[in-house]
């Protein structure tokens, strides 16, 4: 049997877990609620980003909450939903690419990702949730694709470095 789901809290607070590698032929579909929450040593770099496998369609609520050593993250084309609080307080996250199949970025999804400087939002995103990027104080520019129909309350509040924004 191949793993299709990483369940609720599967690796919750594994503070020494430093890396996760998904196989190229992964069958993983769901990263569940709090699956890697508070894994503060889970690291990635710009040269070696955390790449969610192409088989994943859903990243659950709190999935990577407080993974403060993640620097670079790629969310592939297969993912449709990024849950509420999924990457909250990933304070080292500097580079984020959200694939073109993501339709919903949940509430507080990237809340207080204070190092985020590079953000690419895929062209299928329709909804950016309540306080989704709240407190991303390093984010200087932003392009919101014309697929977006809803930007939630406070979605980019306290993005104090934001000097340039293009909508649609």
């Amino acid at each position: 049997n191949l793993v299709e789901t990483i369940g609720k809290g599967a690796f919750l607070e594994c503070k020494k877990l430093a890396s996760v590698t998904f196989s190229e032929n992964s069958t993983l579909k769901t990263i569940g609620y709090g699956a890697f929450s508070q894994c503060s040593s889970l690291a990635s770099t710009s040269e070696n980003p955390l790449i969610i496998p192409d088989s994943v369609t859903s990243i659950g609520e709190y999935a990577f909450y407080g993974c403060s050593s993640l620097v670079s993250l790629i969310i592939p084309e297969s993912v449709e939903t990024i849950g509420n609080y999924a990457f909250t307080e990933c304070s080292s996250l500097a580079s984020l690419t959200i694939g073109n199949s993501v339709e919903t970025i949940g509430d507080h999804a990237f809340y207080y990702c204070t190092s985020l400087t590079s953000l690419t939002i895929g062209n299928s995103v329709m909804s950016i949730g309540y306080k989704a990027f709240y407190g991303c104080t390093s984010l200087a520019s932003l392009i919101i694709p014309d697929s977006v129909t809803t930007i939630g309350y406070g979605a980019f509040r306290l993005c104090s470095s934001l000097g340039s924004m293009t909508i649609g």
Side-chain angles (χ1 to χ4, degrees):
N1 280 343
L2 299 173
V3 175
E4 291 186 1
T5 302
I6 297 175
K8 182 177 181 179
F11 300 97
L12 178 67
E13 295 184 7
C14 289
K15 304 237 182 240
K16 292 188 179 184
L17 180 64
S19 68
V20 174
T21 304
F22 300 102
S23 67
E24 286 182 31
N25 58 352
S26 176
T27 58
L28 184 63
K29 292 183 175 132
T30 303
I31 299 173
Y33 182 106
F36 295 97
S37 186
Q38 300 295 333
C39 292
S40 54
S41 296
L42 183 58
S44 69
T45 63
S46 55
E47 296 82 28
N48 188 21
L50 176 63
I51 301 172
I52 306 294
D54 288 337
S55 56
V56 172
T57 59
S58 177
I59 298 173
E61 295 183 2
Y62 296 90
F64 293 90
Y65 178 98
C67 291
S68 55
S69 296
L70 288 179
V71 172
S72 183
L73 172 66
I74 297 174
I75 298 173
E77 304 294 319
S78 59
V79 174
E80 296 171 3
T81 303
I82 299 171
N84 299 342
Y85 298 90
F87 296 94
T88 291
E89 295 183 15
C90 290
S91 56
S92 296
L93 186 61
S95 176
L96 171 63
T97 300
I98 298 173
N100 287 326
S101 291
V102 174
E103 295 177 357
T104 303
I105 299 172
D107 297 345
H108 298 88
F110 298 95
Y111 185 89
Y112 273 111
C113 291
T114 54
S115 297
L116 188 61
T117 57
S118 175
L119 172 61
T120 303
I121 298 175
N123 60 19
S124 290
V125 172
M126 293 186 286
S127 174
I128 298 173
Y130 173 86
K131 295 186 178 180
F133 294 94
Y134 181 105
C136 293
T137 54
S138 298
L139 189 60
S141 66
L142 176 64
I143 297 173
I144 297 176
D146 56 8
S147 58
V148 174
T149 58
T150 304
I151 299 174
Y153 172 82
F156 296 95
R157 187 172 181 186
L158 295 182
C159 292
S160 54
S161 297
L162 193 58
S164 169
M165 183 170 67
T166 303
I167 300 176

